[in-house]
Amino acid sequence: GGVLRLTGRATAYLLPKGFPESVGPDYLPYSAWMGASTAFGSAAGVLSMQALLCAAGIGGPGAAPLAASLNWVIKDGLGQLAAVVSAALISDRFDADPKRWRATAAACEVGARCIESAAPLFPGHFLLLASAANLGKSVACLASSATRAAFHNSLAQRHNLADVTGKAGSQAIASSLAGTALGLGLSTALLTSASDALPVVACLSLAQLGTTQAALRSLALPTLTRAAAEALVAAWLDRRSLPSPAVFSAAAPWLPR
């Protein structure tokens, strides 16, 4: 009885009302893969931030006020500025190819965390590395947020876009908490110095990229990009037949060749 009650509460908190009839058939694999991606990303974020703080000099005499100012000027100020500039330059391109931009967001996020993890190896270039990492994370946040609407809209089957979006936020929080716990455990078990973070973050980043790609492959959008249209035309010319939406999506014609 207790297990059933716990399962029922988890379903109510994390899944849209009326699941599975209220969402598309690709909802569960997409959400599961994206949850794993979020967990790996959060774990990598714990380690990369630890490395960045060590590179900034946290723990030394008088370091806390300096770190606070650097965090505001670089992480917040420059990050917000980069987001504004990025939105002005590329925000009108997200709707045309959301999967490609979501993959780009994951790559930018991974690159930013690897840069943060490398900061202890180049302490004299802390400002440059921190600025570059914040730029990457700002672009990743912008692209990820902007493309999410297209994915959720394709998954909502009963005019329940708000419910799907809200539950996606709950799933992301739960996955992020799990990833944070994983990151803390890896930090305690594997890291003896800040410079040890880079290989661990690289491994977690590869896992994040792989699960993100799996999530995007599992999602069949109702719209066609130029690359997808060209792939369909080529399939028709070669075989005089067209693949199903699920098979076509798994082939990932939206990825760069």
Side-chain angles (χ1 to χ4, degrees), residues 48-161:
S48 66
M49 183 55 62
Q50 179 181 348
L52 189 65
L53 291 175
C54 289
I58 295 296
L66 173 61
S69 7
L70 287 178
N71 182 63
W72 172 257
V73 174
I74 299 174
K75 186 175 180 61
D76 295 336
L78 185 61
Q80 292 172 5
L81 178 61
V84 171
V85 174
S86 301
L89 294 176
I90 60 177
S91 60
D92 59 338
R93 307 178 190 177
F94 295 139
D95 289 328
D97 204 345
K99 283 190 175 184
R100 187 185 297 268
W101 280 107
R102 183 60 185 85
T104 301
C108 288
E109 185 177 13
V110 162
R113 289 197 174 119
C114 288
I115 290 174
E116 288 179 339
S117 302
L121 303 176
F122 307 97
H125 301 285
F126 170 77
L127 291 178
L128 176 63
L129 294 175
S131 300
N134 275 284
L135 175 60
K137 287 194 288 187
S138 296
V139 174
C141 181
L142 174 65
S144 176
S145 301
T147 55
R148 197 174 296 129
F151 301 153
H152 294 167
N153 191 52
S154 72
L155 294 170
Q157 298 292 302
R158 292 184 177 176
H159 304 286
N160 56 339
L161 177 59

